[in-house]
Amino acid sequence: MQMNPAHHGLCPDFPATAEDAHGWLSMCMARAARPVRPEFAQGFPAHVELRSAAVLIAILWHEQEPSILLTRRTEALKSHAGQISFPGGKVDALDASVVDAALREAWEEVGLAQDRVSVVGEMEVYPTLSGFAIHPVVGIVTVPVSLVPEPGEVAEIFELPLARALDLSAYQRHAFNRGGVTGEYYSLTHEEHFIWGATAGMLHQLAVRLA
């Protein structure tokens, strides 16, 4: 496996190629010491019925600086308008699996073809107070790739450097009280983007797994 000597202190370093990256990510995710749960999970209300959703954590494997694909939702959406998110959405009855749902949503939202994604695996389900059990699917995307935002849902497509996402010191923790449920959530900034809530929480899960 060829490693990029520009990166140090990760697990073990960023591989130079997308093919090597798949094995590296698989190894790091498999050897995580324990399940990583969002901070508020202990106080999650048991009476909330969660609906299944899936997101694709798509890692664009640029040789010099791998990055994670993120979107900014349009302001016209009824829920989570303007927020930063991964491509994803509800798991439909016709989806064969949560992986299929994540890949379908990525195609519909940003035009990412399924055959350009090498799926590595899934992380722990992430419950949200909005009533979803989100299945984070991790995949490697070989670049270059052409992406087109679906104008009804996606206002912007941008990339978060993987090194930034894996820097645990970059995350901030915030207290919340919503509907009588208290806890904490994570946030992360990149340039003008403020990433918070479930998206930041799942990025933090990935960072802990690869630390």
Short mmCIF file of all heavy atoms in Angstrom, two decimals, residues 49-108:
data_model
loop_
_atom_site.label_atom_id
_atom_site.label_comp_id
_atom_site.label_asym_id
_atom_site.label_seq_id
_atom_site.Cartn_x
_atom_site.Cartn_y
_atom_site.Cartn_z
N GLU A 49 -40.96 7.28 18.11
CA GLU A 49 -40.86 6.23 17.11
C GLU A 49 -39.98 6.73 15.97
O GLU A 49 -40.31 7.72 15.30
CB GLU A 49 -42.24 5.86 16.58
CG GLU A 49 -42.21 4.70 15.58
CD GLU A 49 -43.60 4.31 15.12
OE1 GLU A 49 -44.58 4.81 15.71
OE2 GLU A 49 -43.70 3.50 14.17
N LEU A 50 -38.87 6.06 15.76
CA LEU A 50 -37.89 6.51 14.77
C LEU A 50 -38.16 5.91 13.40
O LEU A 50 -38.47 4.73 13.28
CB LEU A 50 -36.48 6.14 15.23
CG LEU A 50 -36.02 6.74 16.56
CD1 LEU A 50 -34.63 6.23 16.92
CD2 LEU A 50 -36.04 8.26 16.50
N ARG A 51 -38.02 6.75 12.38
CA ARG A 51 -38.15 6.30 10.99
C ARG A 51 -36.75 6.14 10.40
O ARG A 51 -35.86 6.95 10.68
CB ARG A 51 -38.94 7.33 10.19
CG ARG A 51 -40.40 7.48 10.63
CD ARG A 51 -40.99 8.76 10.08
NE ARG A 51 -40.44 9.93 10.75
CZ ARG A 51 -40.70 11.18 10.41
NH1 ARG A 51 -41.48 11.44 9.38
NH2 ARG A 51 -40.17 12.19 11.08
N SER A 52 -36.57 5.13 9.58
CA SER A 52 -35.25 4.84 9.02
C SER A 52 -34.88 5.84 7.93
O SER A 52 -35.70 6.15 7.05
CB SER A 52 -35.20 3.42 8.44
OG SER A 52 -35.26 2.46 9.47
N ALA A 53 -33.67 6.33 8.00
CA ALA A 53 -33.10 7.19 6.96
C ALA A 53 -31.66 6.74 6.74
O ALA A 53 -31.08 6.02 7.56
CB ALA A 53 -33.15 8.65 7.38
N ALA A 54 -31.10 7.16 5.62
CA ALA A 54 -29.71 6.79 5.30
C ALA A 54 -29.01 7.98 4.67
O ALA A 54 -29.63 8.74 3.92
CB ALA A 54 -29.67 5.59 4.36
N VAL A 55 -27.74 8.15 5.00
CA VAL A 55 -26.93 9.19 4.38
C VAL A 55 -25.65 8.55 3.85
O VAL A 55 -25.20 7.50 4.33
CB VAL A 55 -26.56 10.32 5.37
CG1 VAL A 55 -27.81 11.00 5.89
CG2 VAL A 55 -25.71 9.80 6.51
N LEU A 56 -25.08 9.20 2.84
CA LEU A 56 -23.82 8.72 2.28
C LEU A 56 -22.70 9.67 2.70
O LEU A 56 -22.71 10.86 2.35
CB LEU A 56 -23.89 8.66 0.76
CG LEU A 56 -22.61 8.18 0.06
CD1 LEU A 56 -22.29 6.73 0.45
CD2 LEU A 56 -22.72 8.33 -1.45
N ILE A 57 -21.76 9.15 3.48
CA ILE A 57 -20.54 9.89 3.79
C ILE A 57 -19.56 9.56 2.68
O ILE A 57 -18.82 8.58 2.74
CB ILE A 57 -20.00 9.52 5.18
CG1 ILE A 57 -21.06 9.77 6.26
CG2 ILE A 57 -18.72 10.31 5.48
CD1 ILE A 57 -20.62 9.40 7.66
N ALA A 58 -19.60 10.38 1.64
CA ALA A 58 -18.81 10.13 0.43
C ALA A 58 -17.46 10.83 0.56
O ALA A 58 -17.40 12.06 0.68
CB ALA A 58 -19.56 10.63 -0.80
N ILE A 59 -16.39 10.05 0.54
CA ILE A 59 -15.04 10.61 0.66
C ILE A 59 -14.44 10.66 -0.74
O ILE A 59 -14.20 9.62 -1.37
CB ILE A 59 -14.18 9.77 1.60
CG1 ILE A 59 -14.85 9.64 2.97
CG2 ILE A 59 -12.80 10.40 1.74
CD1 ILE A 59 -14.11 8.77 3.96
N LEU A 60 -14.23 11.88 -1.23
CA LEU A 60 -13.63 12.08 -2.55
C LEU A 60 -12.12 11.95 -2.40
O LEU A 60 -11.48 12.74 -1.72
CB LEU A 60 -14.00 13.46 -3.09
CG LEU A 60 -15.51 13.79 -3.10
CD1 LEU A 60 -15.73 15.20 -3.63
CD2 LEU A 60 -16.28 12.79 -3.93
N TRP A 61 -11.56 10.93 -3.06
CA TRP A 61 -10.16 10.61 -2.79
C TRP A 61 -9.20 11.35 -3.72
O TRP A 61 -8.58 10.78 -4.60
CB TRP A 61 -9.91 9.10 -2.83
CG TRP A 61 -8.78 8.79 -1.87
CD1 TRP A 61 -7.46 8.62 -2.17
CD2 TRP A 61 -8.87 8.71 -0.45
NE1 TRP A 61 -6.73 8.44 -1.01
CE2 TRP A 61 -7.58 8.49 0.05
CE3 TRP A 61 -9.95 8.82 0.44
CZ2 TRP A 61 -7.31 8.36 1.40
CZ3 TRP A 61 -9.68 8.68 1.79
CH2 TRP A 61 -8.37 8.45 2.26
N HIS A 62 -9.08 12.67 -3.45
CA HIS A 62 -8.02 13.44 -4.10
C HIS A 62 -6.68 12.98 -3.50
O HIS A 62 -6.56 12.87 -2.27
CB HIS A 62 -8.20 14.94 -3.82
CG HIS A 62 -9.55 15.46 -4.22
ND1 HIS A 62 -9.92 15.65 -5.53
CD2 HIS A 62 -10.62 15.84 -3.46
CE1 HIS A 62 -11.14 16.13 -5.57
NE2 HIS A 62 -11.59 16.26 -4.34
N GLU A 63 -5.69 12.75 -4.31
CA GLU A 63 -4.43 12.18 -3.83
C GLU A 63 -3.77 13.07 -2.78
O GLU A 63 -3.26 12.58 -1.77
CB GLU A 63 -3.47 11.96 -5.00
CG GLU A 63 -2.15 11.34 -4.57
CD GLU A 63 -1.24 11.05 -5.75
OE1 GLU A 63 -1.75 11.02 -6.88
OE2 GLU A 63 -0.04 10.83 -5.53
N GLN A 64 -3.78 14.39 -2.99
CA GLN A 64 -3.09 15.27 -2.06
C GLN A 64 -3.94 15.62 -0.84
O GLN A 64 -3.41 15.83 0.25
CB GLN A 64 -2.67 16.56 -2.78
CG GLN A 64 -1.64 16.33 -3.87
CD GLN A 64 -0.38 15.68 -3.36
OE1 GLN A 64 0.12 15.99 -2.28
NE2 GLN A 64 0.13 14.71 -4.12
N GLU A 65 -5.25 15.69 -1.03
CA GLU A 65 -6.11 16.10 0.09
C GLU A 65 -7.50 15.50 -0.07
O GLU A 65 -8.39 16.11 -0.65
CB GLU A 65 -6.21 17.61 0.19
CG GLU A 65 -6.94 18.07 1.45
CD GLU A 65 -6.93 19.59 1.60
OE1 GLU A 65 -7.06 20.30 0.58
OE2 GLU A 65 -6.80 20.06 2.75
N PRO A 66 -7.73 14.29 0.46
CA PRO A 66 -9.08 13.71 0.41
C PRO A 66 -10.08 14.62 1.12
O PRO A 66 -9.73 15.38 2.03
CB PRO A 66 -8.92 12.38 1.16
CG PRO A 66 -7.45 12.10 1.15
CD PRO A 66 -6.77 13.43 1.15
N SER A 67 -11.33 14.55 0.69
CA SER A 67 -12.35 15.43 1.27
C SER A 67 -13.68 14.69 1.38
O SER A 67 -13.87 13.64 0.76
CB SER A 67 -12.52 16.68 0.42
OG SER A 67 -12.95 16.34 -0.89
N ILE A 68 -14.59 15.25 2.16
CA ILE A 68 -15.91 14.68 2.36
C ILE A 68 -16.94 15.56 1.67
O ILE A 68 -16.93 16.78 1.83
CB ILE A 68 -16.24 14.54 3.86
CG1 ILE A 68 -15.26 13.55 4.52
CG2 ILE A 68 -17.68 14.08 4.07
CD1 ILE A 68 -15.44 13.41 6.01
N LEU A 69 -17.81 14.94 0.91
CA LEU A 69 -18.84 15.65 0.17
C LEU A 69 -19.97 16.08 1.11
O LEU A 69 -20.55 15.26 1.81
CB LEU A 69 -19.40 14.73 -0.93
CG LEU A 69 -20.57 15.27 -1.75
CD1 LEU A 69 -20.11 16.44 -2.60
CD2 LEU A 69 -21.15 14.17 -2.62
N LEU A 70 -20.26 17.38 1.10
CA LEU A 70 -21.35 17.92 1.90
C LEU A 70 -22.22 18.83 1.04
O LEU A 70 -21.77 19.32 -0.01
CB LEU A 70 -20.81 18.71 3.09
CG LEU A 70 -20.12 17.91 4.20
CD1 LEU A 70 -19.48 18.84 5.21
CD2 LEU A 70 -21.08 16.95 4.87
N THR A 71 -23.44 19.03 1.48
CA THR A 71 -24.35 19.92 0.77
C THR A 71 -24.96 20.92 1.73
O THR A 71 -25.02 20.68 2.95
CB THR A 71 -25.50 19.14 0.09
OG1 THR A 71 -26.38 18.62 1.10
CG2 THR A 71 -24.98 18.01 -0.77
N ARG A 72 -25.37 22.05 1.18
CA ARG A 72 -26.18 23.01 1.93
C ARG A 72 -27.58 22.96 1.37
O ARG A 72 -27.79 23.14 0.17
CB ARG A 72 -25.60 24.42 1.84
CG ARG A 72 -26.42 25.47 2.60
CD ARG A 72 -25.69 26.81 2.66
NE ARG A 72 -25.39 27.32 1.34
CZ ARG A 72 -26.24 28.02 0.58
NH1 ARG A 72 -27.48 28.27 1.02
NH2 ARG A 72 -25.86 28.46 -0.61
N ARG A 73 -28.55 22.69 2.23
CA ARG A 73 -29.93 22.54 1.79
C ARG A 73 -30.53 23.90 1.42
O ARG A 73 -30.12 24.93 1.95
CB ARG A 73 -30.76 21.88 2.91
CG ARG A 73 -30.31 20.46 3.21
CD ARG A 73 -30.88 19.95 4.52
NE ARG A 73 -32.33 19.87 4.51
CZ ARG A 73 -33.03 18.85 4.05
NH1 ARG A 73 -32.41 17.79 3.55
NH2 ARG A 73 -34.35 18.85 4.10
N THR A 74 -31.49 23.89 0.52
CA THR A 74 -32.12 25.13 0.10
C THR A 74 -32.96 25.72 1.23
O THR A 74 -33.40 25.01 2.15
CB THR A 74 -33.03 24.91 -1.12
OG1 THR A 74 -34.13 24.06 -0.74
CG2 THR A 74 -32.27 24.27 -2.27
N GLU A 75 -33.17 27.01 1.15
CA GLU A 75 -33.95 27.70 2.18
C GLU A 75 -35.44 27.43 2.05
O GLU A 75 -36.21 27.73 2.95
CB GLU A 75 -33.71 29.21 2.09
CG GLU A 75 -32.26 29.63 2.34
CD GLU A 75 -31.83 29.41 3.78
OE1 GLU A 75 -32.72 29.24 4.65
OE2 GLU A 75 -30.62 29.44 4.05
N ALA A 76 -35.87 26.86 0.91
CA ALA A 76 -37.29 26.64 0.68
C ALA A 76 -37.81 25.35 1.29
O ALA A 76 -39.03 25.13 1.32
CB ALA A 76 -37.57 26.63 -0.83
N LEU A 77 -36.94 24.49 1.79
CA LEU A 77 -37.37 23.21 2.34
C LEU A 77 -38.12 23.41 3.66
O LEU A 77 -37.83 24.33 4.43
CB LEU A 77 -36.16 22.30 2.56
CG LEU A 77 -35.45 21.82 1.28
CD1 LEU A 77 -34.20 21.05 1.64
CD2 LEU A 77 -36.38 20.95 0.45
N LYS A 78 -39.07 22.52 3.92
CA LYS A 78 -39.89 22.62 5.13
C LYS A 78 -39.12 22.27 6.39
O LYS A 78 -39.43 22.75 7.47
CB LYS A 78 -41.13 21.73 5.00
CG LYS A 78 -42.11 22.17 3.92
CD LYS A 78 -43.32 21.26 3.87
CE LYS A 78 -44.31 21.69 2.81
NZ LYS A 78 -45.50 20.80 2.74
N SER A 79 -38.13 21.38 6.26
CA SER A 79 -37.36 20.98 7.43
C SER A 79 -35.86 21.12 7.15
O SER A 79 -35.40 20.87 6.03
CB SER A 79 -37.67 19.53 7.83
OG SER A 79 -37.34 18.63 6.79
N HIS A 80 -35.13 21.57 8.16
CA HIS A 80 -33.67 21.71 8.10
C HIS A 80 -33.22 22.61 6.96
O HIS A 80 -32.17 22.39 6.35
CB HIS A 80 -33.02 20.33 7.98
CG HIS A 80 -33.45 19.36 9.04
ND1 HIS A 80 -33.18 19.53 10.38
CD2 HIS A 80 -34.19 18.21 8.96
CE1 HIS A 80 -33.70 18.53 11.07
NE2 HIS A 80 -34.32 17.73 10.24
N ALA A 81 -34.01 23.62 6.65
CA ALA A 81 -33.67 24.54 5.56
C ALA A 81 -32.34 25.23 5.83
O ALA A 81 -32.07 25.67 6.95
CB ALA A 81 -34.77 25.58 5.40
N GLY A 82 -31.51 25.29 4.80
CA GLY A 82 -30.24 25.99 4.90
C GLY A 82 -29.15 25.27 5.66
O GLY A 82 -28.02 25.77 5.76
N GLN A 83 -29.44 24.10 6.21
CA GLN A 83 -28.45 23.40 7.02
C GLN A 83 -27.49 22.59 6.15
O GLN A 83 -27.77 22.26 5.01
CB GLN A 83 -29.14 22.50 8.04
CG GLN A 83 -29.92 23.24 9.10
CD GLN A 83 -30.52 22.31 10.14
OE1 GLN A 83 -30.21 21.13 10.20
NE2 GLN A 83 -31.40 22.85 10.98
N ILE A 84 -26.33 22.28 6.76
CA ILE A 84 -25.33 21.45 6.09
C ILE A 84 -25.66 19.99 6.34
O ILE A 84 -25.97 19.59 7.47
CB ILE A 84 -23.92 21.76 6.62
CG1 ILE A 84 -23.61 23.26 6.49
CG2 ILE A 84 -22.88 20.93 5.89
CD1 ILE A 84 -23.71 23.79 5.08
N SER A 85 -25.58 19.18 5.30
CA SER A 85 -25.95 17.77 5.45
C SER A 85 -25.16 16.91 4.48
O SER A 85 -24.51 17.41 3.55
CB SER A 85 -27.45 17.57 5.20
OG SER A 85 -27.77 17.88 3.85
N PHE A 86 -25.23 15.61 4.70
CA PHE A 86 -24.76 14.63 3.72
C PHE A 86 -25.90 14.37 2.73
O PHE A 86 -27.07 14.56 3.08
CB PHE A 86 -24.41 13.30 4.39
CG PHE A 86 -23.36 13.38 5.46
CD1 PHE A 86 -23.70 13.25 6.80
CD2 PHE A 86 -22.03 13.57 5.13
CE1 PHE A 86 -22.74 13.32 7.79
CE2 PHE A 86 -21.06 13.64 6.12
CZ PHE A 86 -21.41 13.52 7.45
N PRO A 87 -25.59 13.91 1.53
CA PRO A 87 -26.68 13.42 0.68
C PRO A 87 -27.40 12.28 1.40
O PRO A 87 -26.76 11.38 1.94
CB PRO A 87 -25.95 12.92 -0.57
CG PRO A 87 -24.64 13.64 -0.57
CD PRO A 87 -24.28 13.82 0.87
N GLY A 88 -28.72 12.32 1.41
CA GLY A 88 -29.45 11.26 2.10
C GLY A 88 -30.90 11.61 2.29
O GLY A 88 -31.36 12.69 1.95
N GLY A 89 -31.62 10.65 2.86
CA GLY A 89 -33.05 10.85 3.11
C GLY A 89 -33.69 9.59 3.63
O GLY A 89 -33.01 8.64 4.05
N LYS A 90 -35.02 9.56 3.60
CA LYS A 90 -35.77 8.43 4.12
C LYS A 90 -35.49 7.16 3.32
O LYS A 90 -35.27 7.20 2.11
CB LYS A 90 -37.27 8.73 4.07
CG LYS A 90 -37.70 9.91 4.92
CD LYS A 90 -39.19 10.17 4.75
CE LYS A 90 -39.64 11.41 5.50
NZ LYS A 90 -41.07 11.71 5.27
N VAL A 91 -35.53 6.03 4.01
CA VAL A 91 -35.43 4.73 3.34
C VAL A 91 -36.80 4.38 2.79
O VAL A 91 -37.77 4.27 3.55
CB VAL A 91 -34.93 3.64 4.32
CG1 VAL A 91 -34.90 2.29 3.62
CG2 VAL A 91 -33.55 4.00 4.86
N ASP A 92 -36.90 4.22 1.49
CA ASP A 92 -38.17 3.89 0.84
C ASP A 92 -38.43 2.39 0.84
O ASP A 92 -37.50 1.58 0.98
CB ASP A 92 -38.17 4.39 -0.61
CG ASP A 92 -38.21 5.90 -0.70
OD1 ASP A 92 -38.55 6.55 0.32
OD2 ASP A 92 -37.91 6.44 -1.78
N ALA A 93 -39.70 2.02 0.64
CA ALA A 93 -40.08 0.61 0.62
C ALA A 93 -39.39 -0.14 -0.52
O ALA A 93 -39.14 -1.34 -0.42
CB ALA A 93 -41.59 0.49 0.49
N LEU A 94 -39.07 0.56 -1.60
CA LEU A 94 -38.43 -0.08 -2.75
C LEU A 94 -36.92 -0.22 -2.61
O LEU A 94 -36.28 -0.88 -3.42
CB LEU A 94 -38.77 0.69 -4.03
CG LEU A 94 -40.24 0.71 -4.44
CD1 LEU A 94 -40.43 1.52 -5.71
CD2 LEU A 94 -40.77 -0.71 -4.64
N ASP A 95 -36.34 0.41 -1.58
CA ASP A 95 -34.90 0.28 -1.36
C ASP A 95 -34.59 -1.11 -0.79
O ASP A 95 -35.20 -1.54 0.19
CB ASP A 95 -34.41 1.35 -0.38
CG ASP A 95 -34.49 2.75 -0.96
OD1 ASP A 95 -34.18 2.91 -2.15
OD2 ASP A 95 -34.85 3.68 -0.21
N ALA A 96 -33.63 -1.78 -1.41
CA ALA A 96 -33.27 -3.12 -0.94
C ALA A 96 -32.54 -3.10 0.40
O ALA A 96 -32.58 -4.08 1.14
CB ALA A 96 -32.40 -3.81 -1.99
N SER A 97 -31.89 -1.99 0.72
CA SER A 97 -31.13 -1.87 1.96
C SER A 97 -30.88 -0.40 2.24
O SER A 97 -31.16 0.48 1.40
CB SER A 97 -29.79 -2.61 1.83
OG SER A 97 -28.97 -1.97 0.85
N VAL A 98 -30.31 -0.12 3.40
CA VAL A 98 -29.97 1.27 3.72
C VAL A 98 -28.84 1.76 2.82
O VAL A 98 -28.76 2.94 2.50
CB VAL A 98 -29.60 1.44 5.21
CG1 VAL A 98 -30.81 1.16 6.08
CG2 VAL A 98 -28.43 0.56 5.61
N VAL A 99 -27.97 0.85 2.40
CA VAL A 99 -26.91 1.22 1.47
C VAL A 99 -27.51 1.67 0.14
O VAL A 99 -27.13 2.70 -0.42
CB VAL A 99 -25.92 0.05 1.25
CG1 VAL A 99 -24.93 0.38 0.13
CG2 VAL A 99 -25.17 -0.26 2.54
N ASP A 100 -28.48 0.90 -0.36
CA ASP A 100 -29.15 1.29 -1.60
C ASP A 100 -29.85 2.64 -1.45
O ASP A 100 -29.86 3.45 -2.38
CB ASP A 100 -30.18 0.22 -2.00
CG ASP A 100 -29.52 -1.03 -2.55
OD1 ASP A 100 -28.33 -0.98 -2.89
OD2 ASP A 100 -30.21 -2.06 -2.64
N ALA A 101 -30.45 2.88 -0.29
CA ALA A 101 -31.13 4.15 -0.06
C ALA A 101 -30.15 5.31 -0.09
O ALA A 101 -30.42 6.36 -0.68
CB ALA A 101 -31.87 4.11 1.28
N ALA A 102 -28.99 5.14 0.57
CA ALA A 102 -27.98 6.20 0.60
C ALA A 102 -27.45 6.49 -0.80
O ALA A 102 -27.29 7.66 -1.19
CB ALA A 102 -26.84 5.81 1.53
N LEU A 103 -27.20 5.44 -1.59
CA LEU A 103 -26.70 5.63 -2.95
C LEU A 103 -27.75 6.27 -3.84
O LEU A 103 -27.44 7.14 -4.67
CB LEU A 103 -26.26 4.29 -3.52
CG LEU A 103 -25.04 3.63 -2.85
CD1 LEU A 103 -24.81 2.25 -3.42
CD2 LEU A 103 -23.80 4.49 -3.00
N ARG A 104 -29.00 5.87 -3.68
CA ARG A 104 -30.09 6.46 -4.47
C ARG A 104 -30.23 7.94 -4.17
O ARG A 104 -30.35 8.77 -5.09
CB ARG A 104 -31.40 5.73 -4.17
CG ARG A 104 -32.63 6.38 -4.82
CD ARG A 104 -33.92 5.69 -4.43
NE ARG A 104 -34.13 5.62 -3.00
CZ ARG A 104 -34.51 6.64 -2.23
NH1 ARG A 104 -34.72 7.84 -2.79
NH2 ARG A 104 -34.69 6.49 -0.94
N GLU A 105 -30.22 8.29 -2.90
CA GLU A 105 -30.37 9.68 -2.51
C GLU A 105 -29.20 10.53 -3.03
O GLU A 105 -29.39 11.67 -3.45
CB GLU A 105 -30.47 9.80 -0.99
CG GLU A 105 -31.79 9.32 -0.41
CD GLU A 105 -32.91 10.34 -0.61
OE1 GLU A 105 -32.62 11.48 -1.02
OE2 GLU A 105 -34.08 9.99 -0.35
N ALA A 106 -27.99 9.97 -3.01
CA ALA A 106 -26.83 10.71 -3.52
C ALA A 106 -26.97 10.98 -5.01
O ALA A 106 -26.59 12.04 -5.50
CB ALA A 106 -25.55 9.95 -3.23
N TRP A 107 -27.52 10.02 -5.74
CA TRP A 107 -27.76 10.21 -7.16
C TRP A 107 -28.82 11.29 -7.38
O TRP A 107 -28.66 12.18 -8.22
CB TRP A 107 -28.17 8.90 -7.81
CG TRP A 107 -28.77 9.07 -9.19
CD1 TRP A 107 -30.06 8.90 -9.57
CD2 TRP A 107 -28.06 9.48 -10.37
NE1 TRP A 107 -30.21 9.17 -10.90
CE2 TRP A 107 -29.01 9.53 -11.43
CE3 TRP A 107 -26.73 9.82 -10.65
CZ2 TRP A 107 -28.66 9.90 -12.72
CZ3 TRP A 107 -26.39 10.18 -11.94
CH2 TRP A 107 -27.34 10.22 -12.96
N GLU A 108 -29.91 11.22 -6.61
CA GLU A 108 -31.00 12.16 -6.80
C GLU A 108 -30.63 13.59 -6.39
O GLU A 108 -31.05 14.55 -7.02
CB GLU A 108 -32.22 11.69 -5.98
CG GLU A 108 -32.84 10.40 -6.49
CD GLU A 108 -33.98 9.91 -5.60
OE1 GLU A 108 -34.24 10.57 -4.56
OE2 GLU A 108 -34.59 8.88 -5.94
#
